[in-house]
Amino acid sequence: MVAPMARNELRPVIKLRSTAGSGYTYVTRKNRRNDPDRLVLRKYDPVVGQHVDLAEVISAHGGESLTLSNVMTAVDPALVLPYLANGDDLAEAGLAAAATDQRTIGDTWARQLEYAAVLALFDGEEADDEDRAVLAQLHPTALHVPVASRQLAEAAFAGFDVEAAAAAQHPACALLPQEAKESGVATLVWHRRRPFHPERLYQALEDLACAAVRSRGRFWLADRPDTLLSWDAAGGALCVEDAGPWLASLPDAAWDMIPPMRRAAAALDWHPEHGDCCQHLVFTAPGLDREGLERLLDSCLLTEGEFAAGHDAWKRLPASFDALLDPVS
């Protein structure tokens, strides 16, 4: 006979945190029988002033008894490029975490690689300098340790800051790669202070998504001037999401509710006229056509005349991204 679960075990109190990176936390109970997996709810985030996904804070379970010593990803450098180029859905491969999981293999692999503090390398004979250069440029701050090294055991217990790691993944303050070129692999960092024309950018999305094995960052769209948008592409599949407001669009009273890491990131890139509003995209690939990519990106920006017309005129531009994002109210 199976003993019944106590009420607190069946319906534990959980925390859900805003995926917009605002720091807003919502406390509720969940039914473990009905929702055994990580809970995600669509709720109103008062910091960003809109409905966003709130995700269950897994690290809270276990309380004082649970310690995350580190996060590692085991990597065969020879497989990095094939995995990044794989645009198949996780569901097609039987790897989906839930029925609503629409991620691709390439996107999931890229995020697992970039989140880890340590990359445990199985460096076989098939890996070459190009493979190693791609890996180094995608995640330059990770500690690279051979799987047979004694250092791996030490790294496993080096400690891991969950809050800092989560903040570093938010597009507003992500630790994006820097300019690099090695063994035929290049990383382009493209930074501009003029918003995109929505229609021109939308028409160029396919070419931009396929221009590199990996691209990510944040961007500024003229018809949504107050919204920070995230860019995440791998395997030719592009994910564009509303990541909340630019800090420049928030009232002063709301700044106290913004995580310190995001405030610091905004301060480092603050413009006297536009604040933190900008284009900051990073593209990595073997044989990257840097000049052609820059020309294409620059052609999608507002012209000087369009820019001078101001916000009211920008908002009347074609709402091309309504097909990917919730329409602007």
Side-chain angles (χ1 to χ4, degrees):
M1 178 178 180
V2 179
M5 296 179 69
R7 181 176 184 274
N8 287 346
E9 294 177 342
L10 179 61
R11 293 181 54 80
V13 174
I14 63 170
K15 291 182 179 179
L16 296 103
R17 188 157 296 152
S18 172
T19 57
S22 67
Y24 174 69
T25 300
Y26 177 80
V27 179
T28 186
R29 287 185 180 272
K30 88 174 214 178
N31 188 312
R32 282 182 170 166
R33 287 178 181 162
N34 296 338
D35 298 294
D37 298 322
R38 188 184 189 193
L39 189 63
V40 178
L41 298 178
R42 191 79 174 172
K43 292 283 185 180
Y44 183 76
D45 181 339
V47 180
V48 300
Q50 62 186 23
H51 285 79
V52 301
D53 287 339
L54 303 186
E56 182 179 352
V57 182
I58 300 296
S59 60
H61 294 324
E64 306 257 335
S65 65
L66 179 63
T67 300
L68 182 61
S69 63
N70 215 334
V71 174
M72 298 182 174
T73 295
V75 182
D76 181 346
L79 297 178
V80 171
L81 284 171
Y83 275 25
L84 285 175
N86 193 332
D88 292 344
D89 293 335
L90 290 178
E92 295 175 357
L95 299 171
T100 56
D101 192 345
Q102 299 181 348
R103 295 173 297 166
T104 66
I105 291 175
D107 173 65
T108 305
W109 165 239
R111 292 174 187 248
Q112 288 180 344
L113 180 73
E114 293 155 357
Y115 184 76
V118 179
L119 300 181
L121 303 182
F122 177 79
D123 205 344
E125 295 180 357
E126 295 182 1
D128 58 21
D129 290 341
E130 180 182 86
D131 297 324
R132 298 183 188 95
V134 169
L135 193 59
Q137 291 182 35
L138 287 177
H139 195 353
T141 61
L143 177 63
H144 293 206
V145 183
V147 291
S149 170
R150 295 178 60 184
Q151 186 185 3
L152 189 62
E154 298 173 1
F157 297 95
F160 188 79
D161 189 331
V162 176
E163 297 295 334
Q169 295 301 307
H170 190 279
C173 47
L175 299 177
L176 298 172
Q178 300 299 307
E179 290 269 351
K181 187 175 182 180
E182 182 183 357
S183 300
V185 180
T187 293
L188 167 69
V189 178
W190 186 77
H191 191 276
R192 298 290 188 271
R193 286 292 183 180
R194 191 180 297 174
F196 279 124
H197 187 288
E199 187 174 40
R200 290 199 291 271
L201 178 62
Y202 189 80
Q203 292 173 348
L205 285 183
E206 184 175 353
D207 289 339
L208 291 171
C210 297
V213 295
R214 179 69 170 141
S215 59
R216 58 192 177 116
R218 56 188 178 272
F219 68 103
W220 184 20
L221 206 55
D223 65 326
R224 299 167 181 257
D226 297 331
T227 304
L228 188 158
L229 296 167
S230 70
W231 176 289
D232 198 289
L238 170 65
C239 177
V240 171
E241 293 182 321
D242 181 335
W246 295 104
L247 296 196
S249 69
L250 294 178
D252 292 343
W255 277 61
D256 291 338
M257 302 179 71
I258 300 299
M261 187 171 178
R262 183 173 177 191
R263 293 202 303 268
L268 289 173
D269 198 26
W270 196 262
H271 187 275
E273 182 179 355
H274 311 304
D276 57 334
C277 302
C278 67
Q279 317 289 1
H280 190 171
L281 299 174
V282 177
F283 297 80
T284 299
L288 185 71
D289 180 6
R290 297 166 60 96
E291 293 183 359
L293 184 53
E294 284 192 281
R295 284 196 302 271
L296 179 58
L297 288 164
D298 287 339
S299 72
C300 297
L301 295 172
L302 293 186
T303 64
E304 290 187 8
E306 291 167 338
F307 181 74
H311 283 213
D312 289 341
W314 300 354
K315 292 179 180 180
R316 293 193 296 270
L317 293 172
S320 302
F321 277 75
D322 283 2
L324 302 177
L325 302 164
D326 291 335
V328 179
S329 57

